[in-house]
Amino acid sequence: MHYFKYKKGELCCEDVPIAEIAGATGTPVYVYSYKTLERHFNVFDDAFKGTPHITCYSCKANSNLAVLRIMGRLGGGTDIVSGGELHRALQAGIPPRKIVFSGVGKTEDEIRSAVKTGILMINVESGDELAVIRKVAGKLKTRVPLSVRVNPQIDAKTHPYITTGLKKNKFGVLWDDAHTLYNQMGEDPYLDPVGISSHIGSQILELGPFVEAVRSLKSMALQLRAEGIPLRCMDIGGGLGITYRDELPPEPKAYGKAIENELKGTDLTVILEPGRVLVGNSGILATRLLYRKNGPEKSFYIVDGAMNDLLRPALYDAYHEIIPVNEKPGKRLKADIVGPICESGDFFAKDREMADLEPGELIAILGAGAYGFSMSSNYNSRRRAAEVLVKDKEFFVIRKRETFKDLIRGESIPSFLEV
Ligand code: LLP
């Protein structure tokens, strides 16, 4: 469900034609729909109304300040994985008590900032990390709320690059090791074991793996409680999938109900870390056709967006629906839709059936709201795209396109090379 629709043959985001935005900002440009973001957050959050919970939006999916502010205004918190994301969350006004800190490699500085900020909890991922947290907490004389990220060894049946709950993955710790970590926490006055967490992967299309993970987390939590460790929350991570093509992900409602059933009778507060499901279909990347090229075996549409703007097709062979901004019935052809970067991996689609377009026409790459801009780079010294938020009839530039000056900011030529 999203608010990108054709109106009189013109693709609009809510009530604003994409062509109008592209004309104002240039291309490539990310366009997000406020109404879609709001709807997705509310549908997801409402799905858990039967369970005490906090929806901590996983901001790696899209960390623009405006998007974070929207989530915060709707009552959400944030799942962060770096000092940079902590900075963004605070700048956007997310209450510290709704911020959870995940990730296998938090630095001492990052841990110190999180402790000083007073966040909801840190998800510990190793004994070495716990030792650093203990040191920081002792120095700051601050009791730190902690949870251990357990690896429940569950196959989420998703792309190998985005599965995280298997034994061979770098994430989390096995139950026996987690148990040891909880016991260590119990011995230190500054370490406060408040929760248990897991995240089994991303773009998950079945409820089974979630239910299995929650079931095993619940039995661990109950065992820890029986041993006198008074856990209050269970962080079940993110991972709910979305439709890019013809996938049929579980409805948030069914997901919420399944978790509620599993946790009935416990008074654990559930922490949720959804990313993609909140923002994925709330955004598109609009790009302009530069040239057509007919090779001996293939036709190419060369557009002004590239893998530096949207990496998912190149990195995961991910499918994104691509449609013309001006509806074009009639002749269709098969083409690879590629960018200007000097890599064969720089493509948005291969052998895609498309309308017959002329150079200068705009196309929209759908489902680009999650892991789109946030994974973009400056490769080939391309300036990162502008980002726009639409609300009803208005649009707002929420990130300017980078300038050439931005591209070289912070660089310098050492004195021995001066002319
Ligand atoms: N929590 C943790 C600890 C995570 O590692 C992630 C995602 C999430 C929550 C949010 O997961 P989501 O609800 O968005 O599935 N770049 C890849 C996705 C990588 C996901 C990494 N972790 C992609 O473009 O498909």
Side-chain angles (χ1 to χ4, degrees):
M1 169 70 202
H2 58 73
Y3 294 91
F4 294 90
K5 295 272 158 349
Y6 285 111
K7 291 184 183 167
K8 294 191 186 132
E10 265 201 305
L11 184 68
C12 293
C13 176
E14 303 189 14
D15 298 325
V16 182
I18 298 298
E20 187 185 324
I21 297 170
T25 64
T27 47
V29 56
Y30 276 97
V31 181
Y32 310 123
S33 151
Y34 175 81
K35 228 197 264 184
T36 314
L37 290 165
E38 180 182 53
R39 187 190 146 84
H40 287 180
F41 183 91
N42 286 336
V43 166
F44 187 92
D45 199 56
D46 283 355
F48 286 86
K49 61 174 183 271
T51 315
H53 73 279
I54 309 177
T55 299
C56 293
Y57 165 58
S58 187
C59 73
K60 62 177 79 63
N62 185 328
S63 54
N64 186 286
L65 282 184
V67 173
L68 277 165
R69 171 65 62 88
I70 293 169
M71 300 299 175
R73 282 260 180 111
L74 296 171
T78 311
D79 159 45
I80 59 162
V81 290
S82 69
E85 287 190 349
L86 175 61
H87 179 67
R88 283 182 177 278
L90 296 175
Q91 288 293 311
I94 303 294
R97 285 286 164 202
K98 288 187 180 176
I99 298 177
V100 288
F101 195 175
S102 314
V104 287
K106 309 171 193 82
T107 65
E108 189 172 328
D109 277 348
E110 289 175 325
I111 290 168
R112 193 174 304 110
S113 312
V115 172
K116 282 187 174 163
T117 304
I119 66 169
L120 177 65
M121 66 184 182
I122 299 179
N123 291 339
V124 181
E125 298 222 21
S126 65
D128 284 358
E129 181 189 343
L130 185 62
V132 174
I133 296 173
R134 169 180 271 171
K135 185 172 122 192
V136 171
K139 267 197 192 148
L140 296 174
K141 299 201 174 1
T142 306
R143 195 161 155 80
V144 184
L146 298 172
S147 145
V148 177
R149 176 164 170 186
V150 178
N151 180 339
Q153 299 179 65
I154 284 164
D155 186 358
K157 301 191 186 82
T158 182
H159 190 289
Y161 283 15
I162 52 179
T163 183
T164 49
L166 294 174
K167 217 175 189 167
K168 63 179 179 192
N169 295 130
K170 69 176 175 181
F171 300 99
V173 293
L174 297 179
W175 165 235
D176 283 348
D177 300 327
H179 200 195
T180 311
L181 294 181
Y182 280 110
N183 286 331
Q184 288 173 7
M185 289 177 198
E187 294 158 6
D188 191 303
Y190 292 120
L191 302 181
D192 186 12
V194 297
I196 185 161
S197 58
S198 86
H199 168 79
I200 55 173
S202 197
Q203 184 57 9
I204 298 170
L205 297 167
E206 294 167 35
L207 286 182
F210 290 114
V211 170
E212 240 185 285
V214 167
R215 196 169 291 161
S216 64
L217 243 56
K218 178 180 158 186
S219 74
M220 297 171 199
L222 295 182
Q223 184 181 335
L224 291 166
R225 276 186 169 180
E227 292 169 13
I229 298 172
L231 299 190
R232 301 193 291 274
C233 36
M234 178 186 292
D235 180 344
I236 65 170
L240 194 61
I242 63 169
T243 304
Y244 285 105
R245 187 181 200 160
D246 48 15
E247 303 90 334
L248 286 172
E251 293 289 330
K253 214 175 179 162
Y255 176 52
K257 229 14 274 144
I259 305 302
E260 187 182 330
N261 287 341
E262 278 309 311
L263 294 181
K264 217 168 251 157
T266 73
D267 54 352
L268 292 163
T269 297
V270 176
I271 311 297
L272 301 145
E273 300 177 354
R276 187 189 321 261
V277 69
L278 299 186
V279 293
N281 288 325
S282 311
I284 65 157
L285 177 65
T287 175
R288 208 177 277 284
L289 179 59
L290 296 173
Y291 306 112
R292 292 167 304 185
K293 195 164 162 177
N294 291 317
E297 292 187 10
K298 270 184 184 273
S299 295
F300 295 97
Y301 273 179
I302 302 163
V303 298
D304 63 3
M307 66 190 279
N308 76 298
D309 300 303
L310 177 66
L311 185 60
R312 302 192 70 257
L315 190 58
Y316 314 114
D317 213 7
Y319 182 97
H320 284 262
E321 200 179 328
I322 301 182
I323 57 175
V325 165
N326 281 302
E327 230 172 352
K328 214 160 182 194
K331 192 177 151 198
R332 296 182 73 78
L333 50 82
K334 246 188 190 171
D336 282 13
I337 298 160
V338 302
I341 284 185
C342 305
E343 299 248 4
S344 297
D346 181 24
F347 66 89
F348 291 127
K350 293 233 158 135
D351 293 320
R352 186 68 64 86
E353 206 184 284
M354 278 289 293
D356 189 10
L357 302 176
E358 304 283 328
E361 289 195 79
L362 289 165
I363 64 173
I365 304 175
L366 307 188
Y371 307 107
F373 186 91
S374 65
M375 288 176 75
S376 67
S377 76
N378 292 118
Y379 188 39
N380 275 207
S381 284
R382 290 170 53 85
R383 294 164 294 158
R384 278 183 298 169
E387 293 178 284
V388 164
L389 178 70
V390 173
K391 185 169 187 295
D392 304 320
K393 291 186 179 61
E394 277 184 287
F395 73 88
F396 306 86
V397 175
I398 55 172
R399 194 180 208 271
K400 284 193 233 164
R401 183 178 312 286
E402 286 179 338
T403 61
F404 288 128
K405 219 171 169 181
D406 291 331
L407 273 185
I408 54 172
R409 181 183 308 140
E411 294 182 28
S412 57
I413 296 173
S415 55
F416 77 93
L417 290 174
E418 271 167 16
V419 279

